[in-house]
Amino acid sequence: MVGERSTAALRVSRLLEASYRKGRRCLTCYRRRRLTRKIIKGADVISSLPDVILQHILCFIPTKFAIKTSLLSKRWRHVWCDVPSLYFEQYKLTDEDSIDKTLSYHTAPKMLNFHLRTRTGRIDKWIKFAISRNVENLSLEVGNHECPIPDFFFINTSVKQLKFNLSFTDLTPKDFVVWTSLRKLHLGSCRVSDESIAKILSGCPVLESLTLYFCDQPTVLDLSKSLGLTKLDVDRHILVPGPTQIIAPHVHTLKLRNSLLPCTLVDVSSLTEAKMDICFHYVHRMVTADVLQVMVLKMLEKLQNTEKLTFGGNFLQVLSLAELCGVPFPMLKVKYLALETVIFQDIIPGIERLLQNSPCLKKLIVRPRDCNNIP
């Protein structure tokens, strides 16, 4: 009798254990189904957002990836067609047909951004498309060979930012320039004469920022008539001389990196911030120490009233050379001084003299940067 009871109890315990395990499996399955429903519900929440928000999100990815979202569902099929920003990178000739097809489906009446990086010279139709949609920010990068800019491009009242990297193409407007809304202009690796830069500046009445990166041919950069231009960035190269004289009485912020000498600051009387350095990799080996000293000290005189100054390692080496030769330094009104260099023996005399001649200095910052030491 006792044995029968124990056998029955064992059976019951096994049944209870099996039921418990089954219950746990059911609970786990329930939790998984609930989590899946949450994920699906979250996806539905994203899809239920207004087109304007979805298109704003798609602005932050390359266009070829934005187009792939059309495969997600019927809801997403045409969302990308009204994205106000397009980004194209063409590396093969076959990409040209792909860009043309994409533009044929694009329906946004107004564009914020149009970025094109290409290795071919057939860009007229793409620029015309961007202009027809009243693009505000236009970026064009052309590699490997010259790419002529169409004449109609120089008449555009909607563009606010322009960035060109043109593989040393001539940027020469035939008649006049009408960029009445342009506020920020970046010209890189292009040939632009004094006459051309004067035409461009005269057609940009509200220009605020100008960048010249390895631009060939201009000798005198005269910004005296650009009253609203407050930021200037110039990077000069041995192969592309760039301006040798800078007249910028209204500029507040100046960044100048020289690799071809000399360069003279004729008028920078409104400067409040400046960043200066010399890239010696490309400086001609026949340049003497006297030439370097004269140029750098003349620049320093023009920066006497500037409150924020940043000097690179090579600039500091030239100042050290002048200090060791007993050349007098001007007094500075700088309040914030940044030195972008590693500290080594050749720059210490120049730093000491800078600090001694800066009685108003409130803050000194040293940012370690590698510099190509001047022999």
Side-chain angles (χ1 to χ4, degrees):
M1 192 70 178
V2 174
E4 292 179 358
R5 287 181 179 179
S6 61
T7 302
L10 181 61
R11 290 177 180 176
V12 171
S13 65
R14 287 177 177 175
L15 288 172
L16 289 174
E17 184 178 358
S19 177
Y20 173 72
R21 289 177 178 174
K22 184 177 180 181
R24 288 193 64 183
R25 286 197 297 269
C26 292
L27 181 61
T28 302
C29 293
Y30 169 75
R31 288 174 176 171
R32 288 177 179 172
R33 287 195 298 271
R34 186 177 180 184
L35 179 60
T36 303
R37 284 197 297 269
K38 284 184 177 180
I39 294 174
I40 295 174
K41 185 178 180 181
D44 290 338
V45 168
I46 294 175
S47 298
S48 64
L49 290 172
D51 284 2
V52 175
I53 296 179
L54 295 178
Q55 289 156 4
H56 179 73
I57 295 172
L58 294 180
C59 284
F60 296 96
I61 62 175
T63 299
K64 62 180 180 180
F65 297 127
I67 294 174
K68 291 181 180 180
T69 61
S70 61
L71 302 176
L72 295 176
S73 66
K74 291 182 179 179
R75 167 72 180 88
W76 287 83
R77 184 171 298 172
H78 301 292
V79 171
W80 75 270
C81 295
D82 281 329
V83 171
S85 298
L86 295 178
Y87 300 88
F88 296 112
E89 294 187 358
Q90 181 201 11
Y91 297 109
K92 299 179 294 184
L93 290 176
T94 54
D95 293 338
E96 184 174 348
D97 295 334
S98 176
I99 294 176
D100 290 340
K101 187 176 180 180
T102 300
L103 296 182
S104 67
Y105 284 106
H106 192 262
T107 57
K110 181 174 177 59
M111 295 186 63
L112 296 178
N113 303 287
F114 187 87
H115 172 81
L116 175 63
R117 179 180 294 174
T118 178
R119 292 185 177 180
T120 68
R122 293 173 288 181
I123 62 173
D124 292 22
K125 55 186 176 181
W126 298 330
I127 294 179
K128 185 176 292 185
F129 174 87
I131 293 177
S132 68
R133 301 299 175 89
N134 297 317
V135 63
E136 292 187 4
N137 304 322
L138 177 61
S139 175
L140 178 61
E141 299 181 31
V142 180
N144 297 339
H145 63 276
E146 294 187 10
C147 177
I149 301 299
D151 293 334
F152 66 81
F153 176 71
F154 292 101
I155 301 177
N156 187 337
T157 59
S158 64
V159 67
K160 296 181 179 179
Q161 293 187 28
L162 276 178
K163 182 178 181 180
F164 288 150
N165 284 305
L166 298 179
S167 189
F168 301 108
T169 296
D170 287 320
L171 192 65
T172 308
K174 289 184 178 179
D175 297 317
F176 49 85
V177 177
V178 181
W179 289 339
T180 52
S181 300
L182 188 63
R183 296 185 178 275
K184 188 174 182 180
L185 177 60
H186 177 112
L187 300 179
S189 301
C190 60
R191 291 191 291 267
V192 53
S193 63
D194 290 347
E195 181 182 357
S196 296
I197 198 69
K199 282 185 179 181
I200 292 173
L201 293 174
S202 65
C204 306
V206 296
L207 188 64
E208 298 174 354
S209 174
L210 175 63
T211 298
L212 299 178
Y213 182 79
F214 292 0
C215 285
D216 196 6
Q217 293 186 357
T219 54
V220 179
L221 183 61
D222 188 353
L223 306 178
S224 58
K225 296 181 181 179
S226 299
L227 304 182
L229 183 57
T230 58
K231 185 176 181 181
L232 176 62
D233 189 341
V234 180
D235 204 327
R236 302 172 71 238
H237 190 282
I238 183 73
L239 300 177
V240 281
T244 56
Q245 297 184 38
I246 296 177
I247 306 171
H250 311 294
V251 168
H252 295 167
T253 303
L254 172 65
K255 182 179 178 181
L256 178 60
R257 187 169 181 262
N258 277 289
S259 52
L260 186 67
L261 306 172
C263 182
T264 305
L265 301 179
V266 179
D267 186 358
V268 287
S269 53
S270 298
L271 271 187
T272 59
E273 183 176 357
K275 182 176 181 179
M276 319 292 290
D277 201 7
I278 300 171
C279 182
F280 196 76
H281 280 307
Y282 304 104
V283 173
H284 197 282
R285 296 292 175 175
M286 296 303 292
V287 174
T288 64
D290 292 341
V291 173
L292 288 171
Q293 288 183 59
V294 170
M295 185 195 76
V296 169
L297 288 173
K298 283 185 176 180
M299 286 184 175
L300 202 61
E301 289 179 3
K302 295 294 183 178
L303 302 176
Q304 288 185 76
N305 298 321
T306 307
E307 293 185 354
K308 295 182 179 180
L309 290 175
T310 301
F311 295 135
N314 290 334
F315 197 92
L316 293 170
Q317 285 187 73
V318 179
L319 292 180
S320 295
L321 181 61
E323 170 65 12
L324 293 175
C325 292
V327 179
F329 277 47
M331 296 299 294
L332 304 175
K333 296 182 180 180
V334 58
K335 295 181 180 179
Y336 305 93
L337 178 62
L339 308 177
E340 294 188 345
T341 180
V342 292
I343 302 299
F344 57 102
Q345 184 177 359
D346 291 346
I347 66 170
I348 291 178
I351 294 176
E352 289 180 343
R353 177 54 60 187
L354 278 178
L355 297 178
Q356 292 170 4
N357 285 33
S358 305
C360 302
L361 187 64
K362 294 182 178 180
K363 188 174 184 179
L364 174 65
I365 301 174
V366 179
R367 302 189 186 102
R369 294 285 191 277
D370 289 334
C371 60
N372 45 312
N373 298 347
I374 298 177

